[in-house]
Amino acid sequence: MNHDPSHPQVASGVPTDVPAEPAQRRAFLHAVAATAAGLLVLPDTASAQSLPGVTATELLIGNTTSLSGPVSALGTIARSQAAYFKMINSQGGVGGKQIKFIFHDDGFNPAKTAEMARKLIEQDEVALLFGNLGTGPNSAIVKYVNQLGVPHLFLSVNGDKWTDYKANPWSMPFAPSGRVECQVAIKHTMQSKPNAKIAILYQNDDFGRDYIAGAKDVLGAKYDSQVKAISYEVTDTTLDSTLVQLLSTPMDALISGVTGKFGAMSIRKASEMGFKGNHYIATGVTSVQGTLIPAGLERATGVLSTVYAKDPSDPGLADDPGIKTYKAFMAKWFPEGNPDDFYNSYGYMTAMVMHQVLQQCNGDFSRKNIMAQANNLKNVENPMLLPGIKLNTSPTDHRPLEQMQLQRFDGKRWVRFGQIFEGSAV
């Protein structure tokens, strides 16, 4: 596959890059400018084709991702998805069509994302966007795609805002948000102590505020009496004073709604302070190499987090049927990828869900029907999800996953335990 970031990537490995018509370019730039002002002017070409992305032999699906730039490691998600669709094509495709999966590199630059989305929708005329990466990049195009009525599905994003079906009825994330993670953490703590005192450390942005929303979902009127919450800024160099303030009175649980380096910081400082309660960390900072080793494995032992999918690197799952099938897929269809990389298993898992939606379309690949089927997932099982966790959606529920299990770090690896928790309906 040609990985030149100046070219889009196609499931077949053939790059395509056709210059835009000037009128289309002007219309799109007007649309982007209007989006910034909260208004969107639609391009004249929006309704030029009755079934965009559908030809006699193909179904076109688009994606923007980061093959270059600061998070280029996440670009492997789209490559894994492309490999999955190649496998499906070898089996006859879906609804009599071969899936043509086109993914463009945006370098995690929202301005580039807007340009790439325009290419996908107005030049390539894809039927839908699938798996687009990143909160910032997707924020740059969400109004544009919703005004056009383009399905914008199973996004790789953080934040509960993506589940707002009223504001963005054509958009849908995939993974559970921090809001659900916090709901599960509090429900677990309250099982043994209903009046538990809970400390919440949260990032001062939409990601962090999801944890506050999750706590209020569960506790309701008891929130003020049971919770002490303090935020930090992503520009902070330390969490020491914040945690000293947060844990200055006895707490039964600490929930760290944090990202990046702050995961290790919160684990280290809480341990130094002798905190003995339940310490829950965000799923995004559970990496043993990236977070727990820098924090100190002894300090991290006993830390809790939530999980919804199987970890392909977990030796305890080596004989799991779903993992074995996934690794066979990687060996045949994506041999250059690392089968133990969760980003690859995530790509495989989300592509399977997209395939389910397309099968439910029963050959009708109009954008309206694709979205209708995305809104109609009913107790869908996936071999890469933990047992008991199922996907459910509706036109008024854009949270495909609201179930999670807890896991505890034992000093060497994460070990799952206990029941499957249901997120609170909100």
Side-chain angles (χ1 to χ4, degrees), residues 9 207 265 364 398 413:
Q9 309 295 314
F207 168 79
M265 287 182 186
D364 176 3
H398 281 196
R413 56 188 284 263

PDB file of all heavy atoms in Angstrom, residues 9 207 265 364 398 413:
ATOM      1  N   GLN A   9      -5.845   6.635   0.677  1.00  0.00           N
ATOM      2  CA  GLN A   9      -5.618   5.212   0.625  1.00  0.00           C
ATOM      3  C   GLN A   9      -6.935   4.522   0.307  1.00  0.00           C
ATOM      4  O   GLN A   9      -7.980   4.903   0.787  1.00  0.00           O
ATOM      5  CB  GLN A   9      -5.080   4.714   1.968  1.00  0.00           C
ATOM      6  CG  GLN A   9      -3.878   5.504   2.479  1.00  0.00           C
ATOM      7  CD  GLN A   9      -2.670   5.359   1.593  1.00  0.00           C
ATOM      8  OE1 GLN A   9      -2.339   4.254   1.188  1.00  0.00           O
ATOM      9  NE2 GLN A   9      -2.001   6.445   1.296  1.00  0.00           N
ATOM     10  N   PHE A 207     -13.850  16.136  27.811  1.00  0.00           N
ATOM     11  CA  PHE A 207     -13.510  14.780  28.241  1.00  0.00           C
ATOM     12  C   PHE A 207     -13.656  14.643  29.752  1.00  0.00           C
ATOM     13  O   PHE A 207     -14.321  13.730  30.255  1.00  0.00           O
ATOM     14  CB  PHE A 207     -12.080  14.445  27.813  1.00  0.00           C
ATOM     15  CG  PHE A 207     -11.542  13.185  28.442  1.00  0.00           C
ATOM     16  CD1 PHE A 207     -11.915  11.951  27.950  1.00  0.00           C
ATOM     17  CD2 PHE A 207     -10.671  13.244  29.522  1.00  0.00           C
ATOM     18  CE1 PHE A 207     -11.429  10.779  28.541  1.00  0.00           C
ATOM     19  CE2 PHE A 207     -10.181  12.094  30.113  1.00  0.00           C
ATOM     20  CZ  PHE A 207     -10.566  10.857  29.617  1.00  0.00           C
ATOM     21  N   MET A 265       0.953  10.247  36.831  1.00  0.00           N
ATOM     22  CA  MET A 265       1.052  11.215  37.932  1.00  0.00           C
ATOM     23  C   MET A 265       0.026  10.932  39.025  1.00  0.00           C
ATOM     24  O   MET A 265       0.333  10.978  40.215  1.00  0.00           O
ATOM     25  CB  MET A 265       0.831  12.641  37.403  1.00  0.00           C
ATOM     26  CG  MET A 265       1.960  13.218  36.606  1.00  0.00           C
ATOM     27  SD  MET A 265       1.523  14.931  36.140  1.00  0.00           S
ATOM     28  CE  MET A 265       2.911  15.342  35.070  1.00  0.00           C
ATOM     29  N   ASP A 364     -30.340  -2.225   0.084  1.00  0.00           N
ATOM     30  CA  ASP A 364     -30.742  -0.818  -0.069  1.00  0.00           C
ATOM     31  C   ASP A 364     -29.682   0.051   0.616  1.00  0.00           C
ATOM     32  O   ASP A 364     -29.711   0.245   1.826  1.00  0.00           O
ATOM     33  CB  ASP A 364     -32.114  -0.583   0.557  1.00  0.00           C
ATOM     34  CG  ASP A 364     -32.542   0.893   0.525  1.00  0.00           C
ATOM     35  OD1 ASP A 364     -31.793   1.731  -0.031  1.00  0.00           O
ATOM     36  OD2 ASP A 364     -33.616   1.205   1.076  1.00  0.00           O
ATOM     37  N   HIS A 398     -27.669   6.897  20.681  1.00  0.00           N
ATOM     38  CA  HIS A 398     -26.449   6.791  19.879  1.00  0.00           C
ATOM     39  C   HIS A 398     -25.259   6.379  20.736  1.00  0.00           C
ATOM     40  O   HIS A 398     -24.134   6.808  20.504  1.00  0.00           O
ATOM     41  CB  HIS A 398     -26.181   8.100  19.140  1.00  0.00           C
ATOM     42  CG  HIS A 398     -27.020   8.253  17.906  1.00  0.00           C
ATOM     43  ND1 HIS A 398     -26.758   9.173  16.914  1.00  0.00           N
ATOM     44  CD2 HIS A 398     -28.123   7.576  17.487  1.00  0.00           C
ATOM     45  CE1 HIS A 398     -27.658   9.068  15.961  1.00  0.00           C
ATOM     46  NE2 HIS A 398     -28.500   8.110  16.281  1.00  0.00           N
ATOM     47  N   ARG A 413      -0.227  -7.685  35.101  1.00  0.00           N
ATOM     48  CA  ARG A 413      -1.201  -7.580  34.014  1.00  0.00           C
ATOM     49  C   ARG A 413      -2.560  -7.199  34.586  1.00  0.00           C
ATOM     50  O   ARG A 413      -2.798  -7.256  35.798  1.00  0.00           O
ATOM     51  CB  ARG A 413      -1.308  -8.897  33.239  1.00  0.00           C
ATOM     52  CG  ARG A 413      -1.640 -10.098  34.102  1.00  0.00           C
ATOM     53  CD  ARG A 413      -1.549 -11.397  33.309  1.00  0.00           C
ATOM     54  NE  ARG A 413      -2.684 -11.568  32.443  1.00  0.00           N
ATOM     55  CZ  ARG A 413      -3.760 -12.304  32.750  1.00  0.00           C
ATOM     56  NH1 ARG A 413      -3.849 -12.921  33.910  1.00  0.00           N
ATOM     57  NH2 ARG A 413      -4.750 -12.425  31.895  1.00  0.00           N
TER      58      ARG A 413
END
